[in-house]
Amino acid sequence: MSVTVRVPAKVNVQLAVGAARPDGFHDLANVFLAVGLYDEVTVTPADELRVTCTGPDAGQVPLDRTNLAARAAIALAERYGRSPDVHVHIAKDIPVAGGMAGGSADGAGALLACDALWGTGASRAELLEICAELGSDVPFSLVGGAALGTGRGERLTPLEAGGTFHWVFAMAARGLSTPAVFREFDRLAEGRAVPEPVASRPLLDALAAGDADALAAAVSNDLQPAALSLFPELADTLAAGRAAGALAALVSGSGPTTAFLTGDLASAEAVAEALRASGTCRTVRTAVGPVAGATVLQPAASG
C-alpha cells in the first residue's frame, strides 16, 4: 500500500512585497503560475515517520522533522488523532532552494498523499488550512493553475489563464535563503515608504488573454533587487537570457533560479541552448504553465 502524488513547481509572474509586519512577515500580492517541473512524493505505512529523498541536490534536503513533507504528515495525523507512521519518499526534480517552492510542493504532496493513504476524508478547506499553517507557498502547491496570493501569500484567489506560457529556468550554482532575501529587502527599503502590494491589472489581463508579449511587459518581482544584492552573478544570467531573445527575464521568487518567458516552444529551446552555452548557470530546464496542482498518481491499494 502506497500513495504517490505529483506536485508542480511555481513561478511568480508578479511578486509585490509590502513593508515588514509586526510578526516579521510581509503582505504580498503574489501572482503564482504552476509550471511543469515536478516532485513526486510517495507515502507508505511504516513503523515510524521517516523521510528519504532522491534526485538532483537531494543531499541538500533535510530528512528530519523540519522537512515540510514530514511536518505535513504530522499536522494531518494530529488533526485526526493518529500517529504519523509513514515512510515519505521525495523524488526531487524541482530545484532545491531555488525560489520555485520545491519544499512547499513536497509539503502539499505529502499532505494529499497521507490524506489518501489514511482515508481521512479531509475537505479541501481543511487541507488548505493545514497548508497555510505549514507555509506561505504551500496552499498554492496544492491548488496549482494560476492564482493571486494575498496576506503572506497563503490566501488564494484563482485566476483565469487564457493560454499556455513557455518558460525557461536557469538554476544557479548555489541556493539562496528566502528569509535572507527578505531581510535584504528590508535593509534596502530602510528609510523609504514601501507601497501596499497590489496585483497589476495589465498583468492579470495578459494572463487571462494568454498574451505572452503583454505578460512579459508586466512581470515584476520586488525581491529581485535583494536577490541580486546577495547574488550579483545572477545579473549575468538574466542578461544572457535577454540577449538570446527571451521576452522577459526575472528572478523566480526569492531566487536564485532565473525565469525567462518566451513566445513559443521553439523560442524556449533557443533561449535554453544559449543559456547552457553562456556559462552563467548550472543547469537549464524548459517548462510550460499553468499546470494542475498536487495530483494523486497512485492511490492506496484496496483490500
Side-chain angles (χ1 to χ4, degrees), residues 20-274:
R21 308 187 317 201
D23 64 2
F25 289 103
H26 297 68
D27 283 323
L28 306 175
N30 197 352
V31 181
F32 294 103
L33 195 68
V35 294
L37 297 177
Y38 299 96
D39 283 359
E40 290 189 2
V41 181
T42 300
V43 298
T44 308
D47 293 333
E48 61 181 4
L49 176 63
R50 66 188 182 98
V51 180
T52 57
C53 183
T54 55
D57 301 319
Q60 298 177 36
V61 176
L63 302 181
D64 59 13
R65 291 188 173 215
T66 64
N67 186 295
L68 275 171
R71 290 174 53 201
I74 292 166
L76 186 68
E78 286 179 349
R79 186 170 286 227
Y80 283 89
R82 61 176 300 140
S83 182
D85 295 335
V86 286
H87 170 204
V88 180
H89 179 71
I90 302 165
K92 290 294 297 180
D93 198 35
I94 301 172
V96 177
M100 299 187 75
S104 296
D106 298 339
L111 184 66
L112 188 61
C114 287
D115 176 61
L117 180 71
W118 296 334
T120 49
S123 68
R124 193 72 162 175
E126 280 182 280
L127 293 176
L128 285 170
E129 185 180 311
I130 296 171
C131 284
E133 293 167 2
L134 293 169
S136 301
D137 288 346
V138 184
F140 179 72
S141 296
L142 185 72
V143 171
L148 169 63
T150 54
R152 54 184 170 83
E154 84 284 10
R155 296 201 301 265
L156 296 178
T157 303
L159 295 174
E160 181 184 352
T164 297
F165 296 94
H166 294 267
W167 292 90
V168 180
F169 297 99
M171 288 57 163
R174 59 182 172 88
L176 265 179
S177 155
T178 297
V181 174
F182 272 99
R183 284 194 298 272
E184 183 67 359
F185 172 86
D186 292 338
R187 188 187 71 80
L188 294 174
E190 203 169 338
R192 65 176 175 86
V194 177
E196 288 294 313
V198 178
S200 160
R201 176 42 58 187
L203 182 137
L204 298 183
D205 289 344
L207 196 59
D211 186 333
D213 290 297
L215 184 65
V219 296
S220 65
N221 179 3
D222 287 354
L223 290 182
Q224 182 161 311
L228 289 172
S229 175
L230 296 174
F231 200 151
E233 303 93 320
L234 296 179
D236 296 333
T237 314
L238 293 170
R242 289 191 197 98
L247 300 177
L250 74 163
V251 173
S252 178
S254 58
T257 299
T258 44
F260 303 88
L261 179 61
T262 66
D264 53 33
L265 178 59
S267 300
E269 290 173 345
V271 169
E273 190 54 41

Side-chain angles (χ1 to χ4, degrees), residues 5-30:
V5 170
R6 186 177 73 171
V7 61
K10 62 82 180 165
V11 64
N12 306 92
V13 291
Q14 181 188 2
L15 181 50
V17 182
R21 308 187 317 201
D23 64 2
F25 289 103
H26 297 68
D27 283 323
L28 306 175
N30 197 352

